[in-house]
Amino acid sequence: MLNETSKLKRPSILAPAGNKESFLAAIAAGADEIYCGLRQFSARMKARNFSIEDLAPLTRLAHEHVKPDGIIVQDLSFIQLARQAGFSGEVHLSTLSNVSFPEALELARNNLGVHRIVLPRELNIDEIKAMALACPRDLGLEVFVHGALCYGVSGRCYWSSYFGGKSGLRGRCVQPCRRVYTQKEQRKRFFSCQDLSLDVLAKVLLSIPEIRTWKIEGRKKGPHYVFYTVKAYRILRDQGTDPKMKKAALELLAYALGRTGTHYNFLPQRPQNPVNLESQTGSGLFMGRVKSSKQTPFLNPREELLPGDLIRLGYEDESWHTTTRVGKYIPKGGRLYLKVRSKQRLEKGIPVFLIDRQEKDLKEILADLESERIKAPVLKSTVSKFVARQPRRSGKKKETSSDLHVYRHLGKTRHRGLSGLWLSNPAIKNLPKGLGSQLWWWLPPVVWPDDAQNQKEQVDAVLKKGARNFVLNAPWQTGFFTQLKNLNLWAGPFCNIANALALKTLESLGFSGAIVSPELGRNDYLLLPKHSPLPLGMVISGNWPLCVSRVLSDQLDIETSFASPKGEKAWARKFGSDYWVYPNWTLDLKANQGALEQAGYSLFVHLVEPIPKDVDLKKRPGLWNWNLELL
């Protein structure tokens, strides 16, 4: 449902809420819309989140101030589940869905009935405009204007899952990109990004009517952050031409307690690498470093500290980091003695960050809203009787299983079975005559607006060479084909397909089969074929990337190993305009191929990646999440 702001062609300010206090702060700051998650269904599972009982009175309160009523989804199954359950609100595709090129928009609107697309944070203003030009009239675009940046492209990062069984796609990322890594005796946070902050540049978005929403990231942040950022962007949207008001907005953002800000790629002529090794990348406002006097640690804060302020000593990725509340007012440059419960002695030089603040005025505003909330009738949730209608398993005769080896280029070494090739200009140019129809052509996991035309030309070129077998690594890549008849289109593993209803949606989009998500566990793999309407495949061995990113630190060498604090080694390589980060061990589930074939899988994929000379592959089981219950 569009609110009054949208009707006036001004974009809505969409605020994050990971808990009740932040929800109330969003209302208090004048947010037009609020997004939040239930405890078991959220892209930020480490936030406190909400139960149904929590959310019901807040929703009633919100309807008096803002008008939400939509669901944000990344998994295609939720579109069908929402319809089966009778949901009549809007459906928004999450940035995790990776709708990253113009041709995808019409398909998402017309074939799936989506109302809004959350664009990737990596897009620059020219690319955003290209998306807007291709946007159907009744589809809205949502653009991130502020908040944390992931190193990997959203929906294309498996780092946390691969290293620790906690899936970023399921909201449980442990942020391995924030850690210190070592390469050639350099110990740096090579992948830790600054926060996105478009601040005064956001006004450029006002000239694009298809942009319905300015989105603020931060469901793990407190009410102070939510209140200040919403206030700031309301000013920049409504009064940003007034120099005094612009200055006021920037001051609010400076004290919003995020990381150091970057415009990232927003201005293509002046891009900013968000990985700045010379800048602090801990969340919160940097307040100084621990000092000591006669073994008593203390801090001389760069800014005043108020009673109740929450400070963090150390970085989030350091296991010993701790937080403590400030008990009394400390002036700028004063002395705060640090008495914390920690097994590790506080050493001189440890950074200290202000991560939350409870100003008296804000507390009073939230208290007033809380009194309104508790007046609402208490809603007790009941056990739902809703049962999803699962699709029927394909009635086709069981297919003979095949192995598919996928290459970057066709060399002399070939394996038995089917062969696949990543679609690229060099691959097409050097293709032996008559081979085009035999190969399975793999499209990349990310296509940016500037690459879309070239991608379509590549598809057309191999179609002319007789190509009929394609693996698409985003459902929207069907937009590169004029017609789908007589083609064998499979959804690739980067589509992150993990359930039968998502497979049913793919069937409706014209897919012939699907290679399921590579991060599942044994039970999920073996159960999935039971209701699948499509033939299934899976990646069973080879080099699977930790993530795909659009940026790389200028101090990190590609094709060269680097090591994590726990000794896990990895390496980076560039393909096109993106950087792929690989672990130095391979995925290997070949011992389970028989059980998987018995369960119903028919296509077994082996990803063959040339290994850099300076990288030694380590012998590890390579089971990923096979023996884990994926979190």
Side-chain angles (χ1 to χ4, degrees), residues 313-461:
L313 287 77
Y315 290 94
E316 298 101 320
D317 63 304
E318 294 168 320
S319 60
W320 56 267
H321 85 268
T322 187
T323 59
T324 184
R325 290 279 179 192
V326 176
K328 63 179 182 179
Y329 174 78
I330 304 293
K332 177 180 178 180
R335 180 170 292 196
L336 171 67
Y337 288 99
L338 300 168
K339 297 178 181 179
V340 295
R341 296 178 182 178
S342 177
K343 294 181 180 179
Q344 181 170 341
R345 180 167 167 252
L346 289 179
E347 297 181 0
K348 184 178 180 180
I350 291 173
V352 180
F353 300 90
L354 173 62
I355 59 175
D356 197 16
R357 169 161 281 176
Q358 299 182 9
E359 304 95 325
K360 181 181 177 182
D361 291 346
L362 179 56
K363 289 175 70 174
E364 290 176 352
I365 294 171
L366 299 187
D368 290 341
L369 286 170
E370 171 66 1
S371 66
E372 288 186 48
R373 184 192 72 85
I374 61 178
K375 291 177 183 177
V378 176
L379 174 67
K380 292 293 183 182
S381 62
T382 57
V383 177
S384 173
K385 296 181 180 180
F386 172 75
V387 177
R389 297 190 299 275
Q390 295 280 10
R392 293 183 179 181
R393 184 170 180 172
S394 173
K396 297 179 181 179
K397 185 178 179 181
K398 185 177 179 180
E399 298 186 10
T400 304
S401 67
S402 302
D403 286 84
L404 171 63
H405 290 82
V406 184
Y407 306 88
R408 290 289 173 182
H409 54 81
L410 291 177
K412 296 180 179 179
T413 303
R414 300 286 291 278
H415 294 84
R416 294 179 61 184
L418 304 172
S419 292
L421 193 62
W422 288 97
L423 184 58
S424 66
N425 289 320
I428 299 171
K429 182 179 179 181
N430 300 320
L431 185 67
K433 187 176 181 180
L435 195 57
S437 60
Q438 302 175 33
L439 292 171
W440 286 58
W441 293 94
W442 281 56
L443 274 65
V446 186
V447 177
W448 304 113
D450 288 347
D451 302 326
Q453 182 59 36
N454 182 46
Q455 192 68 64
K456 188 177 188 318
E457 291 172 357
Q458 291 175 8
V459 168
D460 290 341

Side-chain angles (χ1 to χ4, degrees), residues 16 35 121 143-149 195-199 214-218 221 225 229 232-233 253-254 256-259 261:
Y35 67 103
R121 293 165 235 214
V143 175
F144 281 94
V145 295
H146 199 89
L149 283 170
D195 279 5
L196 176 68
S197 182
L198 294 189
D199 49 70
W214 292 4
K215 186 170 190 172
I216 297 168
E217 187 278 340
K221 298 294 182 67
Y225 168 89
T229 51
Y233 281 97
L253 291 177
L257 308 183
R259 294 179 177 85

Side-chain angles (χ1 to χ4, degrees), residues 15-28 31 34-36 50 55 57-63 66 68 223 226 366 369:
N19 55 54
K20 180 187 70 176
E21 293 76 16
S22 293
F23 196 107
L24 296 176
I27 294 175
I34 302 169
Y35 67 103
C36 51
F50 302 89
L55 197 56
L58 287 169
T59 301
R60 291 193 188 98
L61 179 63
H63 281 167
V66 297
V226 174
L366 299 187
L369 286 170

Side-chain angles (χ1 to χ4, degrees), residues 42-322:
S42 172
R44 290 292 183 274
M45 293 299 291
K46 288 190 176 182
R48 203 185 312 163
N49 293 315
F50 302 89
S51 67
I52 295 294
E53 290 87 350
D54 296 332
L55 197 56
L58 287 169
T59 301
R60 291 193 188 98
L61 179 63
H63 281 167
E64 297 175 10
H65 298 268
V66 297
K67 299 185 183 299
D69 293 319
I71 55 172
I72 305 172
V73 306
Q74 60 160 311
D75 191 314
L76 295 179
S77 67
F78 272 91
I79 298 175
Q80 291 205 34
L81 284 171
R83 289 170 180 162
Q84 289 184 24
F87 177 74
S88 59
E90 293 192 354
V91 175
H92 302 172
L93 276 184
S94 166
T95 187
L96 288 163
S97 299
N98 195 245
V99 181
S100 61
F101 56 93
E103 290 80 355
L105 298 174
E106 188 171 345
L107 186 149
R109 177 59 188 143
N110 295 341
N111 293 55
L112 297 178
V114 171
H115 301 86
R116 188 186 298 178
I117 301 292
V118 186
L119 295 180
R121 293 165 235 214
E122 290 83 4
L123 298 186
N124 63 46
I125 184 59
D126 292 343
E127 293 170 326
I128 292 172
K129 288 180 178 178
M131 298 292 279
L133 284 173
C135 192
R137 182 183 296 271
D138 51 354
L139 180 69
L141 301 180
E142 186 170 299
V143 175
F144 281 94
V145 295
H146 199 89
L149 283 170
C150 296
Y151 175 74
V153 175
S154 292
R156 302 295 179 261
C157 185
Y158 307 86
W159 206 325
S160 178
S161 176
Y162 208 100
F163 273 18
K166 295 184 178 180
S167 171
L169 294 175
R170 299 190 181 197
R172 292 170 170 88
C173 181
V174 296
Q175 298 186 323
C177 59
R178 298 288 183 194
R179 298 173 185 167
V180 174
Y181 288 84
T182 303
Q183 186 185 71
K184 295 181 178 178
E185 300 182 354
Q186 277 198 102
R187 295 185 73 253
K188 303 280 187 180
R189 297 182 189 274
F190 290 112
F191 308 97
S192 186
C193 291
Q194 299 170 296
D195 279 5
L196 176 68
S197 182
L198 294 189
D199 49 70
V200 297
L201 297 182
K203 66 180 181 182
V204 179
L205 300 173
L206 293 173
S207 64
I208 308 173
E210 293 80 7
I211 296 175
R212 305 276 175 79
T213 309
W214 292 4
K215 186 170 190 172
I216 297 168
E217 187 278 340
R219 272 179 290 159
K220 291 170 65 178
K221 298 294 182 67
H224 173 99
Y225 168 89
V226 174
F227 186 82
Y228 272 55
T229 51
V230 170
K231 280 282 190 183
Y233 281 97
R234 283 194 67 198
I235 292 171
L236 291 168
R237 181 193 64 185
D238 302 336
Q239 301 168 281
T241 56
D242 183 332
K244 290 183 178 180
M245 298 308 295
K246 186 188 301 182
K247 181 180 178 182
L250 292 176
E251 289 175 351
L252 289 171
L253 291 177
Y255 285 91
L257 308 183
R259 294 179 177 85
T260 304
T262 173
H263 294 153
Y264 194 15
N265 281 329
F266 191 73
L267 295 179
Q269 68 274 27
R270 286 187 292 167
Q272 297 176 352
N273 193 326
V275 182
N276 184 346
L277 300 182
E278 308 305 318
S279 177
Q280 297 287 346
T281 58
S283 64
L285 181 65
F286 179 62
M287 299 299 287
R289 295 183 180 275
V290 172
K291 300 179 180 179
S292 61
S293 174
K294 296 181 180 180
Q295 306 304 313
T296 302
F298 68 92
L299 170 73
N300 297 129
R302 294 185 171 190
E303 304 290 342
E304 66 176 3
L305 289 171
L306 306 179
D309 280 354
L310 183 65
I311 59 174
R312 185 187 69 249
L313 287 77
Y315 290 94
E316 298 101 320
D317 63 304
E318 294 168 320
S319 60
W320 56 267
H321 85 268
T322 187

